[in-house]
């Protein structure tokens, strides 16, 4: 139903020119202070899109975001100590 999405961190040198990154995918966030943008795009066309973005004169570096691969289900093997601190 939904296509697989991959996130990329795009470091740029010109903020005004970087606003045009939204034509390469879903522009999630742009930082003026640190000069980076978070961009999500389809996984099947991401390699071609990244190659095209690297040719842009204002793009310095492109990094893949590993946020989707981080484990978000946690196990608690430590006993709950809050019952010992009752009033």
């Amino acid at each position: 139903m939904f296509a697989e999405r991959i996130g990329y961190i795009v470091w740029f040198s010109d903020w005004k020119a970087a606003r045009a990154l939204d034509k390469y995918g879903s522009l999630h966030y742009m930082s003026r202070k640190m000069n980076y943008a978070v961009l999500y795009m389809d996984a099947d066309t991401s390699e071609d899109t990244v190659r095209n973005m690297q040719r842009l004169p204002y793009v310095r570096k492109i990094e893949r975001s590993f946020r989707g691969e981080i484990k978000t289900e946690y196990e608690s093997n430590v006993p709950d100590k809050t019952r010992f601190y009752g009033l």
Side-chain angles (χ1 to χ4, degrees):
M1 184 171 165
F2 292 110
E4 180 81 20
R5 308 283 281 170
I6 295 180
Y8 284 95
I9 311 301
V10 181
W11 298 91
F12 53 83
S13 58
D14 185 18
W15 190 82
K16 278 190 173 182
R19 290 187 292 181
L21 287 173
D22 62 347
K23 67 181 177 183
Y24 294 102
S26 299
L27 189 60
H28 181 71
Y29 178 75
M30 285 183 69
S31 172
R32 275 186 177 217
K33 185 176 181 182
M34 295 182 63
N35 291 334
Y36 76 93
V38 179
L39 187 72
Y40 288 96
M41 61 185 79
D42 293 336
D44 53 351
T45 61
S46 66
E47 293 177 11
D48 297 331
T49 308
V50 168
R51 262 188 256 123
N52 290 338
M53 282 193 307
Q54 285 177 341
R55 293 183 185 133
L56 297 172
Y58 54 87
V59 173
R60 289 188 295 165
K61 182 170 62 168
I62 300 175
E63 298 176 352
R64 186 164 176 264
S65 173
F66 294 103
R67 185 171 188 234
E69 299 173 7
I70 296 174
K71 184 178 135 186
T72 57
E73 297 176 7
Y74 305 107
E75 297 176 2
S76 177
N77 293 335
V78 180
D80 186 21
K81 294 184 179 179
T82 58
R83 63 181 177 175
F84 298 117
Y85 299 113
L87 295 175

